[in-house]
Amino acid sequence: ADSSEAKKFLQKQTDVTAERGVKRQGGLASIVGSLGKKTKMGCLDKSALDWKEFVEKEGIKEELASHNRGKDGYVEKQMFLERADLRQFEIEREIREKNRKSLM
C-alpha cells in the first residue's frame, strides 16, 4: 500500500464500508483487486463539479442564492403557475358539476 493509487483505493474502501457497515477485503487481495480498476467519474458528478467551479470562478454564488430565493426565482414562478392552474381547474369543475345537476 505504498503507491498513491493504493492509498486512495484503501481510503475509499474504508469510507464506503463505514457507510454500509460491510466488511471489506483485507490485505493483499484488496490491493491486487484495485490495481486494474480506476474509479470513473459519472456524468452527473462531472456536471456538478463543473457547475461548482463555474460559480466560484464567476463569483455568482450570492447572486444565484438571492435570485432563487426571491419572487423572481424560477421555482417560485413554477409553483405559482401550478397553484393558479389548479385553482382554475377547480372553478371549471364546479361549473361543470352545477351544469350537470341542473340538467337532472
Side-chain angles (χ1 to χ4, degrees):
D2 291 337
S3 71
S4 63
E5 290 177 304
K7 289 178 184 177
K8 287 179 186 177
F9 177 79
L10 290 175
Q11 180 63 35
K12 187 173 182 181
Q13 287 292 17
T14 54
D15 292 343
V16 169
T17 55
E19 292 175 7
R20 295 183 187 164
V22 179
K23 292 184 179 180
R24 64 177 173 86
Q25 290 181 340
L28 190 59
S30 66
I31 295 172
V32 171
S34 70
L35 289 178
K37 298 178 185 176
K38 290 186 177 181
T39 57
K40 294 183 180 179
M41 183 178 286
C43 181
L44 293 176
D45 296 331
K46 176 72 171 138
S47 296
L49 183 63
D50 289 344
W51 177 248
K52 285 180 185 177
E53 288 177 8
F54 175 77
V55 169
E56 289 176 7
K57 178 181 165 188
E58 297 294 321
I60 57 173
K61 184 175 184 177
E62 287 129 16
E63 183 180 342
L64 286 173
S66 66
H67 184 71
N68 287 335
R69 259 185 277 140
K71 290 188 178 186
D72 295 331
Y74 176 79
V75 175
E76 292 293 325
K77 286 181 183 178
Q78 294 302 315
M79 290 173 58
F80 169 76
L81 291 173
E82 185 177 334
R83 288 191 309 267
D85 187 39
L86 179 63
R87 193 173 303 126
Q88 183 67 32
F89 173 75
E90 290 173 350
I91 291 169
E92 292 171 356
R93 185 180 63 193
E94 288 175 9
I95 292 171
R96 286 192 303 269
E97 287 177 4
K98 286 180 184 178
N99 288 340
R100 279 188 219 136
K101 288 181 182 178
S102 67
L103 293 175
M104 291 182 166

